[in-house]
Amino acid sequence: MRIDVVTIFPAFFDVLEVSLMGRARGAGILDVRVHDLRDFTHDRHRTVDDTPYGGGAGMVMKPEPWGEVLDAIASDATSPLHFVFPSPAGRVFSQSTARAWADSGEHFVFGCGRYEGIDERVFAYAATLGTVSLTSLGDYVLNGGEVAAMAMIEAVGRLVPGVVGNPESLVEESHEDGLLEYPSYTKPAAWRGYDVPEVLLSGHHGRVAEWRHDQQVERTRTRRPDLLSD
Ligand code: SAM
């Protein structure tokens, strides 16, 4: 899967060098390329922001560098382009979004906003080059799109075949079947006065599966009743 990222802070994405994502990049399963938006400016100060029309606090990201970087990426597209602009004003990202994007075969481009955000015309222009999604990580405001893009890249990337060693571990996770995952335990069976539930030591697969499902439903009911009401 090809993923391009546009940011004024490329160092945020250095963590993609480590762990499963780093290994997937090394193996060529994920091809992630990070672009510094300032490389697409032409003034001495490498300016990417300006004051908002209509007044108000803060600065807005200028459209020109965005147009240039999007053109450069589009000229090198490997499959249909999908531009994702992290935004607290977007649709909320979820596991089903991650699954759909991982299965799409699209070439993803994450455009990380800073300041008060990106000039609105950039989204209209990007729509002439591919699909555009404004996507929120949740109902709170971050300083920039980098952390949100990282979270989405990891959630999508780990669903790409070959990134996570055992694909079965992906199927049983929280949100894959609309329920939260059941509790997990490992050895020792007794630790500091806390015992592993007896059923998990029974070796009886049917009873274990039933117990796990009951735990999933109970957890979801108490922690996330909103998931059950859909
Ligand atoms: N003025 C914007 C608003 O009220 O919608 C918020 C701008 S925020 C300070 C700067 C950037 O952080 C945004 O352009 C976006 O890229 C990113 N961002 C902030 N919160 C986010 C969230 N919950 N999900 C995704 N991206 C977010």
Side-chain angles (χ1 to χ4, degrees):
M1 171 182 261
R2 168 79 178 271
I3 298 173
D4 287 73
V5 180
V6 182
T7 173
I8 57 169
F9 294 116
F12 263 98
F13 297 89
D14 288 354
V15 292
L16 286 171
E17 299 286 335
V18 299
S19 187
L20 292 178
M21 299 300 279
R23 208 178 321 144
R25 288 178 81 184
I29 301 168
L30 296 178
D31 178 1
V32 186
R33 304 184 192 188
V34 181
H35 309 267
D36 186 343
L37 183 67
R38 292 193 196 278
D39 291 344
F40 296 84
T41 59
H42 301 287
D43 64 312
R44 202 157 54 90
H45 301 291
R46 295 164 43 96
T47 309
V48 292
D49 61 317
D50 209 333
T51 52
Y53 275 122
M59 301 293 272
V60 176
M61 292 188 111
K62 293 162 62 63
E64 302 97 314
W66 279 103
E68 290 200 21
V69 70
L70 298 188
D71 286 345
I73 293 169
S75 70
D76 184 31
T78 54
S79 39
L81 286 163
H82 191 150
F83 298 93
V84 179
F85 294 97
S87 166
R91 284 177 195 238
V92 177
F93 185 74
S94 68
Q95 186 66 15
S96 58
T97 318
R99 180 65 70 185
W101 289 1
D103 292 344
S104 69
E106 292 171 318
H107 172 165
F108 282 87
V109 182
F110 288 84
C112 303
R114 279 270 152 180
Y115 316 111
E116 291 310 315
I118 304 171
D119 185 306
E120 193 73 19
R121 292 167 293 181
V122 172
F123 310 130
Y125 180 67
T128 67
L129 304 173
T131 304
V132 173
S133 298
L134 272 76
T135 310
S136 172
L137 209 57
D139 294 339
Y140 43 83
V141 179
L142 302 164
N143 284 336
E146 287 77 8
V147 167
M150 268 300 310
M152 294 185 229
I153 290 169
E154 184 160 311
V156 173
R158 67 195 296 277
L159 297 178
V160 173
V163 174
V164 171
N166 179 0
E168 270 185 35
S169 66
L170 299 174
V171 177
E172 293 204 344
E173 285 179 319
S174 297
H175 303 295
E176 278 296 340
D177 58 0
L179 296 173
L180 303 181
E181 198 185 41
Y182 50 76
S184 299
Y185 301 86
T186 186
K187 298 173 195 69
W191 175 73
R192 298 191 178 192
Y194 301 96
D195 293 338
V196 170
E198 194 62 43
V199 62
L200 298 179
L201 309 175
S202 69
H204 192 297
H205 296 306
R207 280 182 51 215
V208 169
E210 192 182 333
W211 179 85
R212 284 179 167 168
H213 182 72
D214 290 349
Q215 291 288 317
Q216 284 190 277
V217 173
E218 181 55 17
R219 264 192 173 184
T220 309
R221 195 183 61 74
T222 52
R223 296 181 189 174
R224 292 291 306 276
D226 56 303
L227 295 177
L228 294 174
S229 59
D230 289 346

